[in-house]
């Protein structure tokens, strides 16, 4: 009977749907045992993502096939009363466990997916961009967006970084970003540079979500008398171009 249940769990794990792990299963083999449920985290496009923050604990299961390592990772988390979620890297058997709720900060990684017992709902926000004069490029987590005649764009709720390049060679210059739920707002917590950013110490480009922008300057508020539900008109310091970034997590 143990073998049958183990193989059934492995098949469920392979399919990566909702996992039902029975705490104490191999002790009593009782369907009345406490149940802990894990659900895979997917982004707005139904792609696998992993949590970006540091795990509470990490271990590695050097067993093959990887589905067996996944079973051990799931079993370990389910038997830890503090464990709420885990990342699993199928190529290495690495199991990263989390005892704290997610801050909705995720990233795409090869051969990695995230399972959680406290599901995080992902959804699209609509942001509106007002600019004087033009947006040259726009990136969500390093993915370039299609700049159409529309000033509105859909951005997934687990987006970590928004980056944009704007220009204006006249006197007035600003960029303002605001989302429909007022979560995304341009203010002086954004960072802007007045010249083309160099690669960082890891040779990453300025719109990469992991780019090191520690040395960037805070955005300049172009109109202290203006506020659109908290959104400000921002720009770089004293120049005709602005490379701006906002990190929401990670």
């Amino acid at each position: 009977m143990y073998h049958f249940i183990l193989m059934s769990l492995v098949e469920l794990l392979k399919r990566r749907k909702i996992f039902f792990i029975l705490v104490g299963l191999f002790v009593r083999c009782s369907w009345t045992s406490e149940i802990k449920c894990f659900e895979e985290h997917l982004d707005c496009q139904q792609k696998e993502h992993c949590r970006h923050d540091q795990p509470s604990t990490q271990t590695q299961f050097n067993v093959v096939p990887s589905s067996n390592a996944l079973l051990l990772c799931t079993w370990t988390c389910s038997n830890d009363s503090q464990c709420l979620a885990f990342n699993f890297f199928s190529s290495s058997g690495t199991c990263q466990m989390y005892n704290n709720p997610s801050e909705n900060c995720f990233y795409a990684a090869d051969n990695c997916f995230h399972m959680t017992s406290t599901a995080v709902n992902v959804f699209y926000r609509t942001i509106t961009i007002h600019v004087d004069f033009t947006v040259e490029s726009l990136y969500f987590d390093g993915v370039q967006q299609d700049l159409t005649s529309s000033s509105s764009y859909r951005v997934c709720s687990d987006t970590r970084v928004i980056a944009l390049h704007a220009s204006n060679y006249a006197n007035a210059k600003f960029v303002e970003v605001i989302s429909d739920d007022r979560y995304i707002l341009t203010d002086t917590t954004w960072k802007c540079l007045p010249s083309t950013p160099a690669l960082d110490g890891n040779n990453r480009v300025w719109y990469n979500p992991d780019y090191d922008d520690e040395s960037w300057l805070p955005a300049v508020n172009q109109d202290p008398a203006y506020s659109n539900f908290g959104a400000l008109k921002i720009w770089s310091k004293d120049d005709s171009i602005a490379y701006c970034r906002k990190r929401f997590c990670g």
Side-chain angles (χ1 to χ4, degrees), residues 52-78:
H52 188 269
D53 50 327
Q54 290 295 317
S56 303
T57 58
Q58 177 172 309
T59 189
Q60 189 168 0
F61 296 106
N62 295 313
V63 296
V64 292
S66 61
S67 56
N68 289 350
L70 173 56
L71 177 60
L72 290 171
C73 181
T74 310
W75 178 252
T76 302
C77 184
S78 68

Side-chain angles (χ1 to χ4, degrees), residues 21-39:
I21 304 303
L22 303 180
V23 177
L25 177 64
F26 294 101
V27 176
R28 297 192 301 271
C29 196
S30 169
W31 294 102
T32 61
S33 300
E34 180 184 352
I35 295 176
K36 183 181 286 189
C37 301
F38 295 95
E39 182 177 349

Side-chain angles (χ1 to χ4, degrees), residues 6 33 107 130 135 173 210:
L6 176 61
S33 300
Y107 75 110
H130 301 290
V135 174
K173 58 196 73 171
D210 294 315

